Amino acid sequence: MANTNTDESSWFYKKRDAPVEARVKDLLTRMTLPEKIGQMTQIERSVGSPQVITNSFIGSVQSGGGSWPFEDAKSSDWADMIDGFQRSALASRLGIPIIYGTDAVHGNNNVYGATVFPHNIGLGATRDADLVRRIGAATALEVRASGVHWTYAPCVAVLGDPRWGRCYESYGEAARIVCEMSSLISGLQGEPPEEHPNGYPFIAGRNNVVACAKHFVGDGGTDKGLSEGNTIASYEELEKIHVAPYLNCIAQGVSTVMASFSSWNGSRLHSDYFLLTEVLKQKLCFKGFLVSDWDGLETISEPEGSDYRSCVKLGINAGIDIVMVPFKYEQFIQDMTELVESGEIPMARVDDAVERILRVKFVAGLFEHPLADRSLLGTVGCKEHREVAREAVRKSLLLLKNGTNPDAPFLPLDRNAKRILVVGMHANDIGNQCGGWTKNKSGQKAAESQLVGTTLLDAIKATVGDKTEVIYEETPTKETLASSEGFSYAIVAVGEPPYAEMKGDNSELTIPFNGNNIITAVAEKTPTLVILFSGRPMVLEPTVLEKTEALVAAWFPGTEGQGIADVIFGDYDFQGKLPVSWFKRVDQLPLNADADSYDPLFPLGFGLTCNLGQNL
Ligand code: GLC
């Protein structure tokens, strides 16, 4: 029976200097079943209201991709919204603060004015764990400035097949690269001291944010790269490839893990007790909390078609602690209540989940500092962060071809050339430059997104000499290409539009929007550098490759396009190394470096430099 002592001053869990575990235990004894179930319930902000949060004891609120307070809301507007939700939670009987979560996966990418960093595939190309840690630290400041406590990052998927729509969310195809780049967690949460107990959540302070390693486990290894598909592997293979990064995440004190939509040998992850509880919580000693993915319990119903109540029972008993419902919270709370009262979900399982949730909230300092720290607002999109992002862009660029004669490299470009042509849909569109999970899930074109940053065209114009004439056409006209004046060289910026999740699943992987024809039309008239903006390797027509002088993979670089100009004009050299094998044809897929028959166009680890022209 809950301890209903109403003398708040004696409530031990409110004592900030008391040991976390003692506070957790004290608070748990005071909680009623509705209060416990409320803590396990995460709702989307669009269904959040003071009444719902207070009366249902809601433990977490979130923004799905692109769910802002309003279009182009600034960090202070986000903080106002979240503090409003928080005050409703603090008004409940026990005053347990909510934890607010969002997908800040390459900077605080939903928020107007935020610094947007390169997506993970580009960071994998840098092989620079310290840089990724610094990106985490910068992201944490901008996230906390907006009042958000928790980001669903990093995605530590080990990439099996670039046909996967979430390829760009992975740091690469080799587990060792993903393990190294999980250093984002130490940036987001702060670095735990040597003596920090393995598996225990760690948050250094108010300038840090709760991280989330996702999606446990095997999300990047599904058959044919299908989003939410099936990973076919022995447990030994699964552990060696896909579980491995979680060891690094847990060693850094990652506070939360998100379950994967995918399946393992036909078993849905969201109801897999062996993986969620026996492996993650017991074998790996994870002491934070496990959150479902978006409406993830519904995946359990496929293909059996079982009702939602059965999905709740299976998911919670398998080890899910917080359910990202995110809309039908009444149904979830009702089913949970019935399932616990009937004994189909043991109270011990509920208590374990709530203990983990409270532990993270105490460790994160939410009881002491539940509201946004507005003193951090000055960090949003600040020069220092943009410089880190610009450095990341420079280091992520991959030089795949540099001239046809090793003694006559095409790059670096002459910044004092007489007249240059810039074409392509990625040359002057910051939305395309940032890719998915920016402003909203599938990203937005510059016109609507009004992201603050520098397009490639802006950067080129800021770098070339005063006497250099820059001609820009998104789609080059015949007249321009035939102009008698001609051009010293052309820069063609083509590639993929923003996309996310299964919208990005693609079995063809050809450069869309007529990219190859634009390249060919320009390359036939003038020496051409192609800059490919994409979330993954794409088919490079042999003729296209032969006709162009140079080829750079820029991935999805984010807001700081100046980083590209820094390198193509020679202020910095290329250093990127392929984090993923570059296939010749899609019928080779999946194509991984550890395969017996490995015949890539460019192998894992490949990367040219301007000066040396050698493979790094
Ligand atoms: C999505 C994604 C997950 C994301 C979550 C919340 O479906 O699978 O990566 O964090 O929903 O937006």
Side-chain angles (χ1 to χ4, degrees), residues 103 152 166 214-215 258 261 293-294 324 437 501:
D103 293 280
Y152 308 132
R166 308 191 73 165
K214 71 183 186 182
H215 310 78
M258 184 183 292
F261 279 133
D293 202 331
W294 180 277
M324 188 183 295
W437 294 105
E501 300 191 60

Side-chain angles (χ1 to χ4, degrees), residues 369-382:
H369 306 291
L371 301 178
D373 178 355
R374 312 276 171 145
S375 71
L376 299 177
L377 286 172
T379 70
V380 179
C382 67

Side-chain angles (χ1 to χ4, degrees), residues 194-208:
E194 275 298 307
E195 64 275 14
H196 187 74
N198 186 49
Y200 206 81
F202 177 80
I203 305 289
R206 299 184 69 183
N207 291 350
N208 298 102

Side-chain angles (χ1 to χ4, degrees), residues 387-401:
E387 282 305 310
V388 174
R390 181 174 170 179
E391 174 190 350
V393 173
R394 287 196 294 264
K395 293 180 174 178
S396 66
L397 298 176
L398 240 299
L399 182 56
L400 298 171
K401 178 181 180 184

